[in-house]
Amino acid sequence: MRYRTLGPFEVGAIGYGAMPLSIEGRPDEARALATVHAALDAGITLIDTADSYYAPGGEPGHNELLIARALASYGGPTDHVLVATKGGRGRTDDGGWTVDGDPGHLRRAAEASARRLGGGAIGLYQLHKPDPAVPFAESVGALAELADEGTIRTVGLSNVDTDQIREARKILGDRLVCVQNRYSPAVTDSEPELGLCAELGLAFLPWSPLGGISRSALEGPGGPAPETAFHTVARERGVSPQQTVLAWLLSRSPVVLPIPGASRPASVRDSAGAADLVLSGAELALLP
């Protein structure tokens, strides 16, 4: 697998978003563990999780604990794997999502995540979403303090705009290493944020990267996506449309690191294959 830079880390160009293993419609634990192991077998070295990835009515941290068990039970080395987690969101009993960027909450959340992931510093800790009720600088300042104290090594932001990226950069300096926003063929609103990340040397992690081809786990079940140019290129290359989308995302910028989700080993293996799929100029001209 080709590698890309994420702050001080070199990680596989395709990461893995573990959320589908813990929210509504999740697989049983045996299949969940097999999916993580398949990701590692395929050369994936970035696993994205969050304390809020759990089913309504469940306990925070389900996904983090699952990832920790998967790494512990894997038959090969895992010290090169970067587990990135997030804090600042929660779930309601009816399936909704909450936001809490209070500095005290973020501190407690990060410390709890570190314990669930096995102790030691968290390699990458991300603010899951800015809280409109809390000054952004206060939330980011809490993460700066956690980095100073060694609870976390590096910091990321999720669901942010360009002004917030610049503000966080002033507070965090080189400790800010990435931005995770929604970005896909169907959702390109974060083009300005992607451009700024390229300018600043920050990794850009598209969440729900297969929009327009596959439905996000957040959206629930639905019918098949309509035929697109991605399907046409995929047929000609003998690969899946999903793999073609991920290769297209990698072509957008050298700072892009997609983190597609999967709940089956076959799906995560297919996603990993996109790291070595290089689309031609003619193929890219057919795509958005």
Side-chain angles (χ1 to χ4, degrees):
M1 178 179 286
R2 289 182 292 163
Y3 278 67
R4 290 197 165 180
T5 300
L6 200 173
F9 310 106
E10 292 292 319
V11 297
I14 298 293
Y16 172 55
M19 181 178 70
L21 302 182
S22 292
I23 64 168
E24 299 88 321
R26 67 194 185 199
D28 62 32
E29 179 151 330
R31 196 175 91 193
L33 295 175
T35 301
V36 178
H37 292 169
L40 299 173
D41 288 341
I44 288 174
T45 61
L46 169 63
I47 298 176
D48 181 79
T49 181
D51 62 357
S52 59
Y53 293 165
Y54 60 94
E59 287 295 322
H62 179 279
N63 200 244
E64 294 171 324
L65 290 168
L66 180 65
I67 296 305
R69 289 196 294 274
L71 292 173
S73 61
Y74 184 59
T78 60
D79 55 345
H80 62 298
V81 177
L82 173 62
V83 177
T85 193
K86 299 181 286 292
R89 301 208 75 177
R91 303 298 309 271
T92 61
D93 288 343
D94 63 358
W97 297 78
T98 60
V99 181
D100 188 347
D102 176 76
H105 169 78
L106 292 173
R107 171 175 292 278
R108 292 188 297 273
E111 291 170 348
S113 290
R115 289 192 296 271
R116 286 190 288 263
L117 291 171
I122 297 171
L124 171 59
Y125 193 75
Q126 303 158 97
L127 178 65
H128 207 155
K129 187 175 184 178
D131 185 344
V134 177
F136 183 66
E138 293 185 10
S139 298
V140 174
L143 302 190
E145 291 178 1
L146 288 165
D148 288 341
E149 296 163 7
T151 303
I152 63 179
R153 289 186 60 190
T154 60
V155 179
L157 307 171
S158 188
N159 301 300
V160 289
D161 60 30
T162 54
D163 289 341
Q164 290 167 328
I165 295 171
R166 291 190 179 95
E167 183 177 2
R169 178 76 167 201
K170 291 178 181 177
I171 297 169
L172 293 163
D174 290 342
R175 292 171 295 185
L176 177 64
V177 298
C178 68
V179 169
Q180 183 179 149
N181 278 10
R182 188 170 194 174
Y183 188 81
S184 70
V187 181
T188 57
D189 296 349
S190 281
E191 197 74 45
E193 288 73 30
L194 170 55
L196 181 58
C197 285
E199 176 187 328
L200 298 176
L202 304 176
F204 183 85
L205 283 57
W207 65 263
S208 195
L210 300 175
I213 297 296
S214 298
R215 292 176 66 83
S216 165
L218 290 172
E219 298 169 326
E227 187 82 3
T228 69
F230 290 98
H231 293 81
T232 302
V233 171
R235 276 194 298 270
E236 292 175 350
R237 292 295 294 266
V239 298
S240 69
Q242 290 81 5
Q243 195 174 115
T244 306
V245 169
L246 295 173
W248 171 78
L249 284 167
L250 290 173
S251 77
R252 304 296 289 169
S253 170
V255 303
V256 171
L257 274 164
I259 47 170
S263 61
R264 299 175 184 275
S267 298
V268 79
R269 284 192 290 265
D270 183 71
S271 292
D276 297 315
L277 175 63
V278 179
L279 300 174
S280 69
E283 289 168 329
L284 290 172
L286 297 174
L287 304 174

